[in-house]
Amino acid sequence: MPHKLQLAVGLDAGSSRTRCVIGTVEDECLRLLGFGETKSEGWTKSRIADQTAVANSMRRALEEAERMSGVSAESCVLGVGGATVRGSNARSEIEIGRPREIDHRDVSRAVDRVSRVQLQDDRMFLQVLLQDFVVDDHPGHRDPRRMVAARIEANAHLITVSEREHNHLVAAANQAHVAVEETVFEAFAAGHSVVLPEERKEGVAVVDIGAHSTDLVVYHGDAVQLAASLPICGDHLTRDVARGLCLSFDDAACLKEEYGCATVGRTPDNSFIEVPALASEGREPRQVQRKMLNQIIEARADELFRHILRELERVGMERALLGGIVLTGGTARLHEVCDAAERVLRCEARKGLTAGIEDWPEELSEPAWSTAAGLAMYSGRLKMREEIENRASGLLGWIFG
């Protein structure tokens, strides 16, 4: 009998585009089989307004990926982001009693207790990401088992989301005829495909700039220190251009993508672009300085990165990103957006390109695909860890993620 493929499927149901990546796990590596992309429908300001429309978008992306791969996707890892996502740090402490060797049950108790926090109505845990353990007042331990102590503490970052929005998204995936293995914060998923383990240890931020939301995750010491959703997104830049140049939203989006730049200083004064008139005005297209377009974009881009700087300052990470900042999502394709990030955040910035998937095509080597790729990689890790989880104490591996 032919060997059954062990599929790893990532589904990124963005509010602008829906993307699907199907891979297969082979010899502890992930190989791409197929991918699909379609325009998203049914979203309003990063929230689901029409569940059936969202499900239809998912189904179209899945079918395109299935046709290319020649397989049928029965389950997936689903990305979750948007304005309802929040992150916070938590800690727990357990007394062991007399000093003795810490075993797996002690670690399990500490991990279980760290997530026993009272949540507000309509909140649920999306992910519990363990940071480290404190063993008898000595911090920074990743795995305290077999150490001798009388007390251990667990530190974790808790990512929560609106239970209602989460359930609507999962229901849409089920309506698209695919089961959900797990739901994952989108910026965290993108980090799987664009950030190396050594960069996490040095300190690195992943910023996923989508059409309706911007998601942020910050690593240091190989653990997540901050997860947040920010109020500025790609559509804000487009609306600013539409208002500033008196354009329709679609025309503004085209101008932003073709001529837009997040750093106005390098735009020559003698560079002009043709701006279409509003259909209701009935006028001829006009010429405007390209610098005017880029002044609008630069102002909003600076505001976005100032928001990120405030989030970093809140957790004392504003000068700790030795690994820099990695920009993903569709808006990360904007010209010189990395220069704008470096100007405000004063650290190295780069665009996040997928690495670690065999047969990944050049046409997908751009920031918009990093989240879907990371979700497929996460699905692959779940598959590879099933055997480890069955034969060993895999709790730490699951939570450290």
Side-chain angles (χ1 to χ4, degrees):
M1 292 180 63
H3 177 68
K4 183 178 180 181
L5 293 177
Q6 196 170 31
L7 298 182
V9 182
L11 183 58
D12 174 20
S15 51
S16 175
R17 308 291 294 182
T18 298
R19 299 180 176 92
C20 177
V21 169
I22 299 178
T24 180
V25 179
E26 298 177 349
D27 298 325
E28 297 188 354
C29 295
L30 183 64
R31 180 171 64 86
L32 180 71
L33 295 178
F35 57 90
E37 178 185 22
T38 189
K39 181 180 179 181
S40 295
E41 296 176 347
W43 293 87
T44 301
K45 296 182 178 179
S46 80
R47 293 175 181 261
I48 293 178
D50 185 338
Q51 182 177 302
T52 299
V54 172
N56 290 338
S57 299
M58 291 179 177
R59 189 65 248 164
R60 288 195 298 272
L62 280 161
E63 288 174 347
E64 184 178 337
E66 288 172 336
R67 280 195 298 271
M68 180 180 293
S69 63
V71 299
S72 178
E74 298 178 355
S75 64
C76 71
V77 168
L78 181 63
V80 177
T84 71
V85 175
R86 299 170 196 160
S88 62
N89 289 326
R91 62 179 290 275
S92 68
E93 178 181 329
I94 66 168
E95 295 288 342
I96 296 176
R98 62 176 177 80
R100 62 168 173 80
E101 189 175 274
I102 299 170
D103 61 25
H104 185 69
R105 290 173 298 176
D106 300 319
V107 174
S108 297
R109 284 172 55 207
V111 171
D112 179 63
R113 187 172 296 182
V114 79
S115 60
R116 290 185 184 179
V117 298
Q118 186 67 39
L119 296 179
Q120 298 177 347
D121 291 343
D122 192 42
R123 304 298 299 174
M124 62 170 283
F125 288 117
L126 182 60
Q127 288 174 272
V128 178
L129 302 172
L130 200 56
Q131 296 169 326
D132 64 7
F133 292 93
V134 180
V135 180
D136 279 349
D137 300 323
H138 297 286
H141 298 283
R142 293 287 284 175
D143 186 353
R145 289 174 297 178
R146 298 185 179 179
M147 298 180 67
V148 176
R151 184 180 69 255
I152 62 172
E153 302 171 31
N155 295 310
H157 196 75
L158 310 180
I159 304 179
T160 64
V161 67
S162 163
E163 184 173 15
R164 180 179 173 186
E165 291 297 320
H166 176 274
N167 291 344
H168 283 332
L169 186 62
V170 172
N174 296 155
Q175 193 173 338
H177 311 301
V178 63
V180 177
E181 302 166 15
E182 194 167 329
T183 50
V184 177
F185 183 42
E186 289 181 344
F188 179 77
H192 276 67
S193 68
V194 300
V195 175
L196 298 174
E198 52 267 31
E199 292 175 311
R200 298 182 190 181
K201 294 178 181 178
E202 293 177 347
V204 65
V206 178
V207 181
D208 186 35
I209 314 173
H212 291 178
S213 66
T214 294
D215 297 325
L216 168 68
V217 65
V218 179
Y219 293 93
H220 191 266
D222 204 28
V224 171
Q225 305 296 326
L226 170 67
S229 184
L230 306 174
I232 298 176
C233 56
D235 276 5
H236 282 96
L237 278 75
T238 305
R239 290 194 186 95
D240 288 349
V241 172
R243 293 192 192 101
L245 300 182
C246 298
L247 299 170
S248 69
F249 184 87
D250 290 342
D251 287 338
C254 291
L255 283 181
K256 182 188 75 174
E257 292 172 9
E258 187 169 357
Y259 301 108
C261 179
T263 304
V264 72
R266 298 178 187 175
T267 306
D269 292 334
N270 61 352
S271 178
F272 288 82
I273 56 176
E274 185 176 278
V275 175
L278 289 170
S280 59
E281 294 180 348
R283 295 187 301 176
E284 294 294 320
R286 64 192 190 282
Q287 298 280 322
V288 301
Q289 278 187 307
R290 187 178 177 185
K291 179 174 284 189
M292 184 181 300
L293 167 68
N294 293 337
Q295 283 173 338
I296 296 170
I297 293 173
E298 182 186 71
R300 185 64 85 167
D302 280 1
E303 184 182 0
L304 169 61
F305 293 120
R306 285 196 299 270
H307 270 282
I308 294 171
L309 180 60
R310 285 194 289 272
E311 289 292 323
L312 295 173
E313 290 172 343
R314 186 166 61 85
V315 295
M317 292 284 295
E318 68 276 14
R319 297 187 182 275
L321 300 182
L322 299 182
I325 183 169
V326 183
L327 305 179
T328 66
T331 304
R333 293 178 293 197
L334 185 67
H335 295 304
E336 298 188 18
V337 67
C338 291
D339 294 325
E342 291 177 349
R343 182 175 63 247
V344 176
L345 299 174
R346 300 188 181 279
C347 67
E348 183 179 333
R350 63 178 173 86
K351 296 182 180 183
L353 305 179
T354 296
I357 299 181
E358 295 182 6
D359 298 335
W360 190 255
E362 184 65 28
E363 64 190 279
L364 302 189
S365 291
E366 51 110 345
W369 278 91
S370 57
T371 297
L375 291 167
M377 293 174 75
Y378 193 96
S379 177
R381 290 182 65 184
L382 293 181
K383 303 295 192 307
M384 286 186 280
R385 284 185 175 177
E386 284 178 357
E387 293 183 6
I388 299 174
E389 190 72 10
N390 289 335
R391 66 174 184 261
S393 53
L395 174 65
L396 294 178
W398 283 97
I399 297 182
F400 275 119

